[in-house]
Amino acid sequence: MGQPLSVYLNRRGQVIRVGVGTPRQTQIPPLELPRYGAERLCGIRCITTDLKGEAPSSATLTAMVLQRLDVLVSLNITGQGFTRRGGTATGYVETTYVAHLLSQPDTPWQVLPPQSLEVVAEQDFLDLVEGLEEEFRQDVVGNVVDLDHDRVIVVGLKTQGRRDLQFEQGLTEVRRLVESAGGEVLDTLRQNRDRPHPQTVVGEGKVEEIALAAQTLGANLIVFDRDLSPAQGRNLERQIGLRVVDRTQVILDIFAQRAQSGAGKLQVELAQLQYCMPRLTGQGQAMSRLGGGIGTRGPGETQLETERRTIQQRISRLQREVSQLQAHRARLRHQRQHQDVPSVALVGYTNAGKSTLLNVLTSAEVYVADQLFATLDPTTRRLVLPQTEATPPKALLVTDTVGFIHELPPSLVDAFRATLEEVTESDALLHVVDLSHDAWKTQIEAVNKILGEMSMPPGPSLLVFNKVDQVPSEVLATAQEHYPQAVFVSATDRLGLTTLRQRIEQLVTYAQL
């Protein structure tokens, strides 16, 4: 055949797998290995043939690392030998290479000098394997991993039509999302492609690089900067051997952590179920290999259909409850309108400082933190504008809404329609912008895009640039030149609040005309 042969044996010496091809072409997916972990080897060794008479290539050694093989033995076949009865040619084994893993992260493997087949056959591989695993265990104990939080590698794909600055800003935002969800970002990997790979988003070589980096750094989660299809997620998990999630899943996890009220938890659960429904196949060991087609029908499919039916019923019930929540909030807004109390909604990109501004304006005690989506549940407080010579004191309601983000997941928009209606039903909007962020112009565009896609157009808005105390003078001058009608404040230092209250009064008066 002129092809290499790879044979896999367990520690009893039993052949468990035979493949035509190199170890890279015949490698066992990590999820199918009998043992897998940073502190031990998989319990399988590979004997492979090489027809070129060379030492194991980097691709072969990478396959050894990905599978965490006990040892890799490469037999160099000369292609010259005797002819058996029937005409089958058998080559001689000229030299033998032995390779195994190392516990040092900078040098993951070691290839021993070429030896004869007789010398290799006399070696005690079990003794070698036990010594290697003892070294791995010591290194793992010396680098204890906190299991309470995820150790994450972020992967970004830059496709045609996406500017470098936009791509890097998106990766920075994904890293912030991971940190807000309680994870630790260990590394960020990038790839340039004309279009995403239909099966794995990134190329085959990049998938191997991700798996190697995860093993080297001790990562337990891979996060992509774009949405993954259910098939792509399953393929990546099978090849890398770790959990793989996308940007939307990270946002949903943050929302699940931040939701405090019953309404917030209700909407988060609905968004999660709507997202997980098409990804049900492959979730968990019991259903990891189920699907449609010949050979998949039977009790397993019954279990899968039962899960689908249960989740669909739950989604239907939650959608009814969200509709009831919409009706309840509509009645509250109707009562406020009958009382002639104007309302103003704080909108803006996440972490722009909306909750901090609400606290300083109304003496509220909303939780604030330098995190994305630090607050999720809407909060409404009364703001009394001071009396002037021309106008008496005026009271209005200020509502802090959920923060927006670039490419807000559709499942969140649908689930939080009851909350987002606070924006469309308000008399006016305060669009809060974080001027200290490098991408503040892009964030303004993202918020305006989301507002423009709402079913009902919101009322008039006022741009409020926040955190002016953290920006250089040239950035402030640029913003003032492009947005001369905006208000510039610092909520933490209470700068510009008097001007802001005056502009709010003018805005509400204009909205009620």
Side-chain angles (χ1 to χ4, degrees), residues 379-401:
T379 303
T380 301
R381 293 291 185 269
R382 180 181 292 270
L383 170 63
V384 179
L385 298 176
Q387 181 179 2
T388 63
E389 296 180 358
T391 60
K394 179 181 294 186
L396 54 88
L397 296 179
V398 182
T399 301
D400 179 21
T401 62

Side-chain angles (χ1 to χ4, degrees), residues 87 108 238 309 429:
R238 184 172 62 252
R309 192 176 303 110
L429 303 181

Side-chain angles (χ1 to χ4, degrees), residues 260-418:
Q260 300 295 328
S261 67
K265 294 178 181 178
L266 169 71
Q267 295 172 109
V268 168
E269 183 182 0
L270 176 59
Q272 288 180 320
L273 290 178
Q274 289 176 333
Y275 180 83
C276 293
M277 185 66 179
R279 293 164 173 80
L280 184 58
T281 300
Q283 296 292 327
Q285 272 312 108
M287 293 181 289
S288 61
R289 295 174 181 82
L290 295 182
I294 297 173
T296 63
R297 300 178 177 86
E301 189 182 26
T302 302
Q303 177 191 2
L304 179 62
E305 291 304 316
T306 301
E307 294 289 337
R308 286 186 185 277
R309 192 176 303 110
T310 302
I311 292 178
Q312 188 59 58
Q313 291 172 351
R314 179 70 174 167
I315 288 176
S316 299
R317 189 174 70 82
L318 291 175
Q319 287 176 334
R320 289 194 298 269
E321 294 184 10
V322 169
S323 298
Q324 294 173 1
L325 179 63
Q326 278 183 284
H328 173 68
R329 288 185 170 166
R331 288 192 295 271
L332 293 179
R333 288 192 296 269
H334 187 67
Q335 292 176 2
R336 293 200 299 262
Q337 291 171 358
H338 273 286
Q339 296 173 359
D340 292 331
V341 179
S343 60
V344 175
L346 295 173
V347 299
Y349 213 81
T350 178
N351 201 39
K354 298 183 298 298
S355 299
T356 304
L357 189 60
L358 178 71
N359 288 342
V360 299
L361 287 175
T362 65
S363 300
E365 296 181 355
V366 178
Y367 172 77
V368 295
D370 187 16
Q371 297 174 331
L372 302 185
F373 301 111
T375 54
L376 178 62
D377 298 307
T379 303
T380 301
R381 293 291 185 269
R382 180 181 292 270
L383 170 63
V384 179
L385 298 176
Q387 181 179 2
T388 63
E389 296 180 358
T391 60
K394 179 181 294 186
L396 54 88
L397 296 179
V398 182
T399 301
D400 179 21
T401 62
V402 60
F404 295 162
I405 195 169
H406 180 63
E407 295 179 356
L408 191 66
S411 57
L412 284 179
V413 176
D414 181 61
F416 279 77
R417 62 184 186 274

Side-chain angles (χ1 to χ4, degrees), residues 36-39 65-66 68 102-108 136 139-140 142-147 149-155 175 184-190 208-223 240 242:
Y36 194 78
E39 75 282 358
V65 175
L66 294 178
R68 295 196 66 80
L102 293 177
S103 58
Q104 292 87 355
D106 52 342
T107 54
F136 288 128
D139 288 344
V140 170
N143 300 280
V144 178
V145 176
D146 185 4
L147 299 179
H149 70 277
D150 290 310
R151 294 166 58 85
V152 180
I153 292 179
V154 174
V155 181
R175 289 193 290 266
E184 176 188 358
V185 178
L186 303 179
D187 196 6
T188 302
L189 302 181
R190 302 164 175 82
E208 292 186 353
E209 181 183 342
I210 295 169
L212 279 175
Q215 286 198 9
T216 303
L217 300 174
N220 58 9
L221 179 65
I222 310 298
V223 176
I240 298 176
L242 296 175

Side-chain angles (χ1 to χ4, degrees), residues 27-216:
Q27 68 184 30
I28 306 172
L31 295 178
E32 298 180 16
L33 294 172
R35 309 169 72 210
Y36 194 78
E39 75 282 358
R40 58 185 183 178
L41 302 172
C42 72
I44 299 174
R45 66 188 112 164
C46 176
I47 301 176
T48 184
T49 59
D50 183 83
L51 306 181
K52 299 179 181 179
E54 300 175 349
S57 65
S58 59
T60 297
L61 296 172
T62 299
M64 176 184 69
V65 175
L66 294 178
Q67 299 170 91
R68 295 196 66 80
L69 296 174
D70 286 358
V71 71
L72 174 72
V73 179
S74 180
L75 308 178
N76 285 353
I77 307 299
T78 64
Q80 299 175 354
F82 57 89
T83 302
R84 289 188 173 184
R85 184 179 301 174
T88 303
T90 303
Y92 290 122
V93 178
E94 186 176 34
T95 56
T96 304
Y97 287 93
V98 177
H100 60 80
L101 301 184
L102 293 177
S103 58
Q104 292 87 355
D106 52 342
T107 54
W109 58 63
Q110 179 182 19
V111 180
L112 301 179
Q115 308 171 61
S116 66
L117 182 60
E118 290 76 13
V119 173
V120 173
E122 295 177 356
Q123 295 184 17
D124 187 348
F125 286 105
L126 290 180
D127 183 61
L128 171 65
V129 167
E130 291 174 358
L132 290 174
E133 288 194 328
E134 181 61 30
E135 293 180 8
F136 288 128
R137 279 191 291 269
Q138 291 176 358
D139 288 344
V140 170
V141 171
N143 300 280
V144 178
V145 176
D146 185 4
L147 299 179
D148 293 336
H149 70 277
D150 290 310
R151 294 166 58 85
V152 180
I153 292 179
V154 174
V155 181
L157 176 65
K158 182 179 180 297
T159 53
Q160 282 185 340
R162 198 173 185 186
R163 301 189 305 271
D164 292 342
L165 179 60
Q166 181 185 11
F167 173 64
E168 290 299 329
Q169 289 174 348
L171 280 180
T172 301
E173 186 173 84
V174 172
R175 289 193 290 266
R176 289 292 310 277
L177 287 170
V178 170
E179 293 168 355
S180 298
E184 176 188 358
V185 178
L186 303 179
D187 196 6
T188 302
L189 302 181
R190 302 164 175 82
Q191 186 178 45
N192 294 334
R193 286 179 64 93
D194 292 340
R195 61 183 63 87
H197 193 285
Q199 295 179 342
T200 55
V201 182
V202 293
E204 181 181 353
K206 182 61 68 171
V207 173
E208 292 186 353
E209 181 183 342
I210 295 169
L212 279 175
Q215 286 198 9
T216 303

